[in-house]
């Protein structure tokens, strides 16, 4: 198992925020964590990424206890956090530079992925010169270079307009399957979760708990065909019911 | 293009006002309404500036050198202090009020003391320049550090960055705009500061020259020095602005 959370509890000022969270992400799998805002998704996110330590419970990566340790799990937020004062190439190469790779080599290594991420020709640009979709691509490449192990995405596409978002979804599905990145996608967008994931965890309540888990079977259909199928609607109804709580 | 046009329009108005003031001044002292001995006309000032140019340049070089050394030392000190204050909260809490207090001490009052303590050489001038220019820079840097995005710092720590790397890749770059705002003030202060220090004793420099021509009641030369100081200060600020543009290239792509 690539990423595993075992019975994670966390409270703030004595108030439990999340309780007994168990979840797993397998090698090359895309798993979504779907829930309303305020359910503790970001709290869980900070624990899984190692920024915060939980009150109790464990985070395992490759069956190794990594609770409260940053650096193994890479993540990307809704705001892309590209540094406006660094060129695209230097933004993307930053995780390598932090790891101690020499600047020239880091740039070279980053540049090798530019075509694959649809960023060709943008290396000397500044983030301000890129469109929203391009910025997300650059941020995703940076995330990929940060750690190929597991990637956490916290509503990465929610600031994009609807059309760009769809394009990003399509592109994202392709790239994620080529690169075999194990991904946990945190979102409150049901369609997004259904389009992108292999499995979906539903998180509801106060404190937030995992209340349900769905395995999405597309039966080899293309994204467009799946999205208009009765199964898609069935999943959606099931999720909507579950989220009503 | 539009912006440039607007700049020209604005520039046109300030130029018109300046010319109007100069014409009025020329009329007042040229026609003898105000005695020339007391207020020399702009043309006399210009004449003095041209005829004294060689001497003025010798003195200006010395003053610039003092300002340059003082500013450089001040910058080194400011960076060291700001980084330490950012790194250790007690240092910040302990030093910030003292920094503010040092800024309320009138420069003109401590300058004679500096001369008494440090002699007539370059030392008191450099010290005074350091004193006047490091505050705006330290405050600029500290305020700038505070604008760093918490999520960005989190991201870098998650990548395994240490404090120095966070300083290098986030805090210093985001502090640059407010650092330069402080630096522009510091640059202007540093030159004027050196002149003030020279008033109180020394062998050369624009301040020394000023006291000499004042004692000789050569007001045209006095005004010529003032004009020169204004021009040099403006030039220094323009240079700073140019450097700012080079350092923050990304700002051209907004």
């Amino acid at each position: 198992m690539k990423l595993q959370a075992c019975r994670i509890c966390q409270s703030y000022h004595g108030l439990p925020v999340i309780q007994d969270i168990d979840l797993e992400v397998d090698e090359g799998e895309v798993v979504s964590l779907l829930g309303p805002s305020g359910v503790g998704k970001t709290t869980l996110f900070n624990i899984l990424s190692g920024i915060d330590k939980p009150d109790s419970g464990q985070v395992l990566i490759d069956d190794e206890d990594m609770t409260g340790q940053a650096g193994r799990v890479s993540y990307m937020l809704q705001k892309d956090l590209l540094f406006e004062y660094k060129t695209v190439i230097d933004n993307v190469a930053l995780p390598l530079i932090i790891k101690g790779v020499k600047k020239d080599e880091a740039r070279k290594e980053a540049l090798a992925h530019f075509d694959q991420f649809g960023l060709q020709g943008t290396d000397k640009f500044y983030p301000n010169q890129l469109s929203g979709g391009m910025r997300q691509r650059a941020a995703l490449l940076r995330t990929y270079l940060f750690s190929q192990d597991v990637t956490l995405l916290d509503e990465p596409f929610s600031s994009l307009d609807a059309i760009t978002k769809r394009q990003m979804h399509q592109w994202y599905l392709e790239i994620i399957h080529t690169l075999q990145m194990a991904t946990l996608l945190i979102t409150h967008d049901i369609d997004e979760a259904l389009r992108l994931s292999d499995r979906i965890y539903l998180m509801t309540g106060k404190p937030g708990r995992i209340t349900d888990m769905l395995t999405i079977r597309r039966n080899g259909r293309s994204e467009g065909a799946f999205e208009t199928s009765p199964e898609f609607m069935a999943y959606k109804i099931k999720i909507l019911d579950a989220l009503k709580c | 293009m539009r912006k440039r046009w607007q700049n020209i329009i604005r520039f046109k108005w300030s130029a018109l006002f300046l010319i109007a003031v100069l014409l009025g001044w020329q009329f007042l002292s040229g026609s003898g309404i105000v005695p020339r001995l007391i207020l020399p006309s702009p043309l006399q000032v210009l004449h003095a500036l041209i005829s004294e140019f060689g001497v003025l340049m010798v003195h200006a070089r010395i003053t610039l050198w003092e300002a340059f050394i003082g500013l450089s030392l001040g910058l080194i000190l400011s960076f060291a202090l700001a980084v330490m204050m950012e790194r250790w909260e007690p240092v910040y809490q302990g030093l910030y009020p003292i920094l503010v207090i040092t800024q309320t001490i009138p420069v003109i009052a401590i300058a004679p003391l500096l001369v008494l303590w440090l002699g007539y050489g370059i030392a008191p001038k450099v010290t005074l320049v350091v004193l006047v220019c490091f505050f705006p820079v330290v405050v600029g840097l500290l305020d700038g550090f505070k604008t760093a995005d918490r999520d960005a710092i989190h991201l870098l720590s998650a990548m395994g960055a240490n404090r120095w790397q966070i300083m290098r890749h986030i805090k210093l770059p985001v502090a640059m705009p407010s650092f330069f705002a402080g630096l522009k003030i510091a640059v202007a202060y540093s030159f004027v500061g050196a002149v003030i220090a020279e008033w109180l004793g020394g062998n050369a420099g624009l301040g020394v020259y000023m006291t000499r021509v004042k004692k000789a009641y050569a007001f045209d030369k006095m005004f010529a020095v003032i004009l020169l100081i204004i021009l040099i200060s403006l030039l220094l600020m323009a240079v700073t602005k140019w450097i700012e543009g080079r350092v923050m290239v990304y700002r051209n792509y907004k």
Side-chain angles (χ1 to χ4, degrees), chain B residues 140-157:
Chain B
L141 280 171
L142 287 174
D143 287 352
F145 292 155
K146 297 265 176 286
T147 62
D149 186 332
R150 265 173 54 94
D151 289 329
I153 294 174
H154 271 156
L155 180 68
L156 247 68
S157 347

Side-chain angles (χ1 to χ4, degrees), chain A residues 37-221:
Chain A
S37 0
V39 80
K41 294 191 300 268
T42 303
T43 306
L44 181 61
F45 177 95
N46 286 343
I47 291 167
L48 294 177
S49 62
I51 295 171
D52 286 339
K53 227 177 142 73
D55 294 343
S56 63
Q58 276 185 312
V59 179
L60 304 178
I61 298 162
D62 289 328
D63 304 318
E64 198 185 328
D65 186 1
M66 294 296 288
T67 317
Q69 290 178 56
R72 275 293 288 279
V73 178
S74 59
Y75 68 85
M76 182 173 143
L77 307 180
Q78 175 189 341
K79 49 176 176 177
D80 53 51
L81 291 177
L82 292 175
F83 301 113
E84 57 166 359
Y85 43 84
K86 286 181 186 287
T87 53
V88 173
I89 183 79
D90 285 342
N91 263 293
V92 169
L94 192 58
L96 301 172
I97 289 168
I98 298 287
K99 277 180 204 156
V101 180
K102 285 212 185 73
K103 203 168 183 176
D104 287 349
E105 287 170 37
R107 281 180 176 164
K108 216 192 242 168
E109 200 180 328
L111 201 57
H113 296 278
F114 265 52
D115 280 5
Q116 190 173 20
F117 279 75
L119 289 165
Q120 55 274 31
T122 62
D123 52 318
K124 292 199 175 65
F125 285 13
Y126 285 92
N128 278 327
Q129 294 169 276
L130 300 185
S131 65
M134 290 298 256
R135 292 178 67 113
Q136 291 307 97
R137 284 164 194 253
L140 193 71
L141 175 52
R142 179 173 66 180
T143 312
Y144 175 66
L145 291 174
F146 167 4
S147 156
Q148 284 95 330
D149 263 352
V150 193
T151 307
L152 297 185
L153 303 176
D154 190 356
E155 303 183 1
F157 308 120
S158 54
S159 63
L160 301 175
D161 64 87
I163 295 169
T164 313
K165 195 171 181 174
R166 286 190 66 88
Q167 289 168 345
M168 286 299 287
H169 284 160
Q170 246 151 31
W171 169 78
Y172 180 72
L173 275 174
E174 277 166 36
I175 200 149
I176 212 146
H177 288 126
T178 330
L179 298 172
Q180 287 290 301
M181 291 164 85
T183 307
L184 181 67
L185 175 74
I186 293 175
T187 182
H188 55 232
D189 180 338
I190 298 171
D191 286 4
E192 178 171 88
L194 281 170
R195 266 183 219 149
L196 297 179
S197 359
D198 301 315
R199 285 189 296 122
I200 299 175
Y201 286 105
L202 295 180
M203 195 170 168
T204 50
K206 219 165 187 95
R209 298 167 196 265
I210 305 274
T211 43
D212 208 346
M213 199 271 284
L214 287 86
T215 306
I216 311 299
R217 288 179 222 288
R218 292 188 181 75
N219 300 327
R221 269 174 296 204

Side-chain angles (χ1 to χ4, degrees), chain B residues 76-92:
Chain B
I76 294 168
L77 194 72
S78 314
F79 267 89
L81 208 65
V83 169
M84 282 196 295
M85 285 169 80
E86 177 66 19
R87 170 71 180 79
W88 291 287
E89 186 65 18
V91 181
Y92 183 92

Side-chain angles (χ1 to χ4, degrees), chain B residues 3 68 76 109 125 139 219 224 231:
Chain B
K3 199 173 173 193
F68 175 74
I76 294 168
K125 286 96 177 175
V139 172
F219 286 173
L231 292 176

Side-chain angles (χ1 to χ4, degrees), chain B residues 11-82:
Chain B
F11 184 70
K12 184 183 81 181
W13 283 110
S14 57
L16 273 175
F17 272 103
L18 193 64
I19 289 166
V21 169
L22 286 174
L23 282 177
W25 178 2
Q26 178 68 37
F27 171 74
L28 280 177
S29 54
S31 62
I33 297 173
V34 178
R36 284 178 178 217
L37 196 67
I38 292 172
L39 186 67
S41 72
L43 285 176
Q44 279 177 295
V45 172
L46 200 63
H47 185 259
L49 182 67
I50 292 164
S51 65
E52 289 286 298
F53 197 72
V55 184
L56 282 171
M57 279 303 112
V58 173
H59 288 291
R61 190 176 300 159
I62 288 159
T63 309
L64 270 174
W65 180 239
E66 290 160 357
F68 175 74
I69 296 187
L71 188 64
S72 308
L73 287 177
L75 278 181
I76 294 168
L77 194 72
S78 314
F79 267 89
L81 208 65

